[in-house]
């Protein structure tokens, strides 16, 4: 909890009031007890003079009633303070109560009590009875001495009681006590002055105690605020703190590190240096140790290294670790090292995807330029072959050669068209069409292409789903994905084509780097084939990359799907599990006017 800063005067006054009211019940009990004893002793001693002066008992009884009334008034003030919860609530809380108001009330109650006791001292100070006079002086002096502890937190209250209480009795001794009274009065004055000096020292001690409490509260508040800022900064940066002690070979790690690795707060977690080293990826262990050694030897001021680390679920996460040596011994050997660790798996994935996107863009520009120039040459070659084929003097063998050249030229033209589509240079004719109906029509041809060993399943929406795209290119993309799936299921299997609508908001795009906000149609092609390795996935959409044998594929099928998707302001993604199959998802923008 954050403790607000109070002014020194306000904080001191608040603590004064707390201390004064905290001890008030004991003070009231002592006042009433002393009053009863005081009353009882003098009640018995004045019995012999009642006949001569019957008002003495009435005066004493009236005084006792005033003592009870004064104590009741002070208790009422105490109950008001207690009922509002000011004693039980936290210290130094700004706006909790008005300390000056309650301090004034307390001082008024002290003044009332001092006046009552001063009146009692005046009534019973009998200058003709040394025993009663001595008892009165001792009783009043004892009350004044007791006020040092009870009222020392407030100098004004303490001085009020020390001055007001003995003055009436002293006045009576000085004016009506004669020589003995004067001596007793001087003795009384010296005693009160001594008590006043002691009270002042006690006040100074209490003042210092309150100041220390206030300083401690402020220091604790500042420390708490600093810790909150530290925790917020680390949590905001999603970083974990580590503190390595080379003397004990132990390491402290914050709870964030366990969370990164998939461990709960109550799970068993080995934080030793040896356990940490064992979970670093074998390929990165030398790099990490080299970076740590350089920092520990003083060659670099700070260790900054990225490596893979074992997650609880068996996967590897990317970690960025930073650290520096805090303490060294006389020989320069490190004693303690602290730092942070941050999970950068997502950042690494985004960097990889960005690099892949930039590479694909570069390849697309290169392929597009080559395909464009090659297409111009093919056009001239095809025209020349057509003219040559029209020559009546051409022999039969020559015509067969020209026909074979024509077929080869047509095949080259198709490859060029796929390259242009990948490079997004092919002209597309977009229109709104029902993707559901188009896929249903395509299914019959796909089943023939897939063969009898593969079962084709469709998961289509019950209502039409309109997209804005080139229908022929979409069909070609689905065919390419289906044929790739067929080649991955040599022993047969199941191919499922699903279509659904999806709406993406801006916050949904973190996990989909290529995605865009809006309404899209999702075309999913899922097979139960052999799946793909991480290496294949990394080069999946690159032109001319293929895992097939020579002569069995050009490596342009997925590249053309990738180009077609981006040319339509969409994207394509893939996921695969080796030995279990793959899923390709093609996203195309929906026709806005019809989607609404």
């Amino acid at each position: 909890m954050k403790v607000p800063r109070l002014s020194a005067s306000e904080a001191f006054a608040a603590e004064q009031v707390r201390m004064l009211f905290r001890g008030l019940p004991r003070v009231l009990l002592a006042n009433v007890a002393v009053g009863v004893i005081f009353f009882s002793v003098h009640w018995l001693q004045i019995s012999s003079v009642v006949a001569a002066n019957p008002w003495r008992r009435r005066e004493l009884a009236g005084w006792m009633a005033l003592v009870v009334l004064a104590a009741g008034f002070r208790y009422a003030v105490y109950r008001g303070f207690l009922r509002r919860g000011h004693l039980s609530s936290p210290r130094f809380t700004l706006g909790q109560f008005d300390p000056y108001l309650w301090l004034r009330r307390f001082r008024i109650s002290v003044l009332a009590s001092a006046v009552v006791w001063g009146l009692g001292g005046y009534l019973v100070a009998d200058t003709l009875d040394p025993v009663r006079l001595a008892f009165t002086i001792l009783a009043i002096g004892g009350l004044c001495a007791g006020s040092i502890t009870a009222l020392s937190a407030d100098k004004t209250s303490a001085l009020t009681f020390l001055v007001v209480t003995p003055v009436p009795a002293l006045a009576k001794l000085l004016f009506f006590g004669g020589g003995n009274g004067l001596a007793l009065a001087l003795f009384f004055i010296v005693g009160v002055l001594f008590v006043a000096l002691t009270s002042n020292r006690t006040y100074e001690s209490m003042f210092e105690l309150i100041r220390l409490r206030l300083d401690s509260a402020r220091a604790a508040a500042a420390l708490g605020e600093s810790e909150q800022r530290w925790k917020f900064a680390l949590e905001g940066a999603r970083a974990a703190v580590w503190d390595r002690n080379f003397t004990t070979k132990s390491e402290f790690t914050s709870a964030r590190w366990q969370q990164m690795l998939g461990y709960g707060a109550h799970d068993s977690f080995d934080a030793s240096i040896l356990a940490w080293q064992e979970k670093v990826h074998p390929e990165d262990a030398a790099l990490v140790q080299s970076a740590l050694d350089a920092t520990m030897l003083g060659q670099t001021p700070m260790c900054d290294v990225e490596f893979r680390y074992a997650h609880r679920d068996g996967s590897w996460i990317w970690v960025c670790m930073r650290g520096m040596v805090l303490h060294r011994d006389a020989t320069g050997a490190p004693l303690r090292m602290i730092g942070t660790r941050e999970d950068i798996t997502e950042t690494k994935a985004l960097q990889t995807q960005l690099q892949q996107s930039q590479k694909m863009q570069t390849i697309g520009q290169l392929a597009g330029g080559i395909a464009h120039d090659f297409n111009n040459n093919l056009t001239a070659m095809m025209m020349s072959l057509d003219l040559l084929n029209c020559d009546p003097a051409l022999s039969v063998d020559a015509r067969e050669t020209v026909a074979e050249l024509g077929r080869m030229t047509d095949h080259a033209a198709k490859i060029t068209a796929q390259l242009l589509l990948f490079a997004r240079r092919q002209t597309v004719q977009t229109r709104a069409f029902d993707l559901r109906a188009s896929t249903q029509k395509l299914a019959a041809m796909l089943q023939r292409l897939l063969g009898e060993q593969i079962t084709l399943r469709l998961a289509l929406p019950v209502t039409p789903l309109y997209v804005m795209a080139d229908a022929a290119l979409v069909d070609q993309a689905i065919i390419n994905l289906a044929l790739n799936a067929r080649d991955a299921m040599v022993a047969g299997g199941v191919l499922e084509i699903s279509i659904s609508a999806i709406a993406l908001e801006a916050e949904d795009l973190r996990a989909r780097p290529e995605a865009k906000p809006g309404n899209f149609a999702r075309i999913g092609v899922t097979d139960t084939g052999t799946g793909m390795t991480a290496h294949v996935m990394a080069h999946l959409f690159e032109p001319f990359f293929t895992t097939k044998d020579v002569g069995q594929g050009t490596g342009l099928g997925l590249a053309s799907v990738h180009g077609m998707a981006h040319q339509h302001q969409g994207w394509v993604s893939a996921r695969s599990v080796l030995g279990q199959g793959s899923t390709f998802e093609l996203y195309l923008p929906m026709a806005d006017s019809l989607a609404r």
Side-chain angles (χ1 to χ4, degrees):
M1 176 180 179
K2 184 178 179 181
V3 180
R5 291 185 174 87
L6 304 178
S7 65
S9 58
E10 183 179 356
F12 184 80
E15 187 62 11
Q16 270 185 300
V17 172
R18 289 179 189 277
M19 296 182 71
L20 290 170
F21 276 98
R22 192 173 288 115
L24 188 56
R26 295 188 297 273
V27 173
L28 294 179
L29 184 62
N31 267 257
V32 173
V34 172
V36 170
I37 296 172
F38 196 79
F39 170 80
S40 301
V41 171
H42 290 288
W43 182 271
L44 294 173
Q45 288 183 347
I46 65 176
S47 299
S48 59
V49 296
V50 171
N53 189 357
W55 286 98
R56 296 300 301 274
R57 280 193 173 184
R58 296 176 186 177
E59 291 173 354
L60 192 60
W63 172 81
M64 188 62 201
L66 289 177
V67 170
V68 174
L69 287 175
F73 172 64
R74 296 185 72 183
Y75 185 73
V77 175
Y78 167 77
R79 287 295 299 174
F81 189 79
L82 182 65
R83 189 169 54 250
R84 289 168 175 80
H86 300 332
L87 280 179
S88 58
S89 54
R91 289 176 173 174
F92 312 121
T93 305
L94 186 63
Q96 179 189 18
F97 64 91
D98 183 354
Y100 303 108
L101 172 64
W102 287 101
L103 192 57
R104 285 195 298 271
R105 291 177 179 177
F106 186 88
R107 288 172 176 173
I108 292 172
S109 70
V110 170
L111 177 61
S113 181
V115 169
V116 169
W117 277 101
L119 179 61
Y122 182 84
L123 289 175
V124 300
D126 191 346
T127 56
L128 300 177
D129 188 342
V131 176
R132 289 176 59 194
L133 184 60
F135 181 79
T136 301
I137 293 175
L138 289 175
I140 299 298
L143 284 173
C144 291
S147 68
I148 298 176
T149 303
L151 305 175
S152 57
D154 179 32
K155 182 185 291 186
T156 301
S157 296
L159 291 178
T160 297
F161 197 87
L162 289 176
V163 171
V164 174
T165 301
V167 163
L170 286 173
K172 192 171 185 179
L173 289 174
L174 289 172
F175 293 108
F176 304 105
N180 292 333
L182 180 61
L184 287 173
L186 292 176
F187 175 76
F188 200 1
I189 291 172
V190 171
V192 170
L193 290 175
F194 176 78
V195 170
L197 292 174
T198 305
S199 176
N200 185 64
R201 294 192 187 97
T202 307
Y203 171 77
E204 292 176 354
S205 299
M206 296 300 294
F207 180 89
E208 184 66 17
L209 176 62
I210 295 174
R211 187 187 65 80
L212 290 175
R213 286 180 178 178
L214 179 60
D215 291 345
S216 297
R218 287 176 170 167
L223 181 62
E225 291 176 1
S226 176
E227 184 177 354
Q228 286 178 345
R229 287 192 292 267
W230 173 77
K231 289 179 66 177
F232 178 79
L234 290 176
E235 290 174 1
R238 303 177 66 185
V241 177
W242 57 274
D243 188 336
R244 182 171 293 184
N245 190 314
F246 292 98
T247 304
T248 61
K249 305 295 183 183
S250 62
E251 180 175 290
F252 161 81
T253 55
S254 61
R256 177 62 185 162
W257 177 239
Q258 293 181 224
Q259 295 172 7
M260 288 182 189
L261 301 179
Y263 292 89
H266 302 291
D267 292 332
S268 176
F269 184 77
D270 188 355
S272 65
I273 298 177
L274 180 61
W276 181 86
Q277 292 173 335
E278 291 175 348
K279 293 183 179 181
V280 176
H281 196 285
E283 296 179 3
D284 301 333
L287 174 65
V288 174
Q289 193 59 49
S290 175
L292 285 172
D293 289 344
T295 304
M296 289 189 291
L297 293 173
Q299 298 173 356
T300 58
M302 178 175 288
C303 171
D304 191 341
V305 62
E306 296 177 358
F307 56 93
R308 287 162 290 180
Y309 197 84
H311 193 272
R312 187 181 187 182
D313 61 9
S315 63
W316 296 98
I317 64 170
W318 275 96
V319 176
C320 176
M321 183 177 74
R322 298 181 179 90
M324 62 183 297
V325 175
L326 278 187
H327 304 297
R328 298 180 183 272
D329 61 15
T331 64
L335 297 176
R336 183 183 174 200
M337 192 173 184
I338 65 169
T340 61
R341 297 189 187 108
E342 182 182 356
D343 184 353
I344 58 169
T345 306
E346 185 176 338
T347 303
K348 277 287 186 180
L350 292 175
Q351 290 176 348
T352 302
Q353 290 170 352
L354 177 61
Q355 293 171 356
Q356 182 70 10
S357 176
Q358 293 173 337
K359 182 174 70 173
M360 294 291 284
Q361 184 178 5
T362 302
I363 294 175
Q365 292 175 347
L366 176 62
I370 294 174
H372 181 75
D373 293 340
F374 187 53
N375 194 49
N376 293 335
N377 293 331
L378 282 177
T379 302
M381 292 171 62
M382 293 173 71
M383 292 179 62
S384 299
L385 289 173
D386 289 340
L387 292 173
L388 185 61
N389 199 34
C390 294
D391 187 354
L394 201 63
S395 65
V396 176
D397 293 338
R399 289 185 183 278
E400 291 180 357
T401 302
V402 170
E404 181 62 25
L405 287 174
R407 286 190 291 272
M408 295 173 63
T409 306
D410 288 338
H411 182 65
K414 291 179 180 179
I415 295 177
T416 305
Q418 288 180 310
L419 278 174
L420 289 173
L421 181 60
F422 169 75
R424 308 178 201 176
R425 294 191 180 186
Q426 182 171 329
T427 304
V428 296
Q429 299 177 351
T430 59
R431 63 180 179 85
F433 70 94
D434 182 6
L435 181 61
R436 172 176 171 270
S438 175
T439 305
Q440 285 177 326
K441 293 179 182 178
L442 189 64
M445 183 183 69
L446 284 177
Q447 186 61 71
R448 291 193 298 271
L449 291 173
L450 296 174
E452 297 179 354
Q453 289 183 311
I454 297 176
T455 302
L456 177 63
R457 293 178 184 173
L458 298 180
L460 306 179
V462 295
T463 57
L465 184 61
Y466 289 89
V467 296
M468 186 66 68
D470 189 317
L473 293 180
V474 173
D475 287 348
Q476 185 61 48
I478 295 175
I479 291 172
N480 284 340
L481 293 175
L483 292 179
N484 275 351
R486 178 198 65 184
D487 295 339
M489 295 185 287
V490 180
V494 177
L495 175 66
E496 180 179 272
I497 299 177
S498 60
I499 296 176
S500 60
I502 182 172
L504 295 178
E505 303 294 339
E507 57 268 18
D508 300 326
L509 306 185
R510 286 193 62 183
R512 306 167 183 259
E514 294 185 329
K516 304 169 185 176
N519 297 321
F520 292 88
R522 171 192 167 277
I523 305 172
V525 179
T526 303
D527 64 67
T528 57
T530 56
M532 294 177 285
T533 64
H535 172 73
V536 173
M537 292 286 292
H539 302 278
L540 201 56
F541 298 109
E542 295 179 7
F544 304 114
F545 176 80
T546 179
T547 58
K548 300 175 184 178
D549 296 334
V550 178
Q552 294 186 5
T554 61
L556 290 173
L558 292 178
S560 63
V561 173
H562 183 276
M564 184 279 295
H566 284 271
Q567 198 165 12
H568 284 82
Q569 305 303 312
W571 69 94
V572 61
S573 63
R575 61 180 185 272
S576 180
V577 178
L578 194 62
Q580 297 182 19
S582 306
T583 296
F584 287 83
E585 293 179 337
L586 176 61
Y587 293 85
L588 298 173
M590 296 176 63
D592 291 340
S593 59
L594 298 175
R596 288 194 292 267

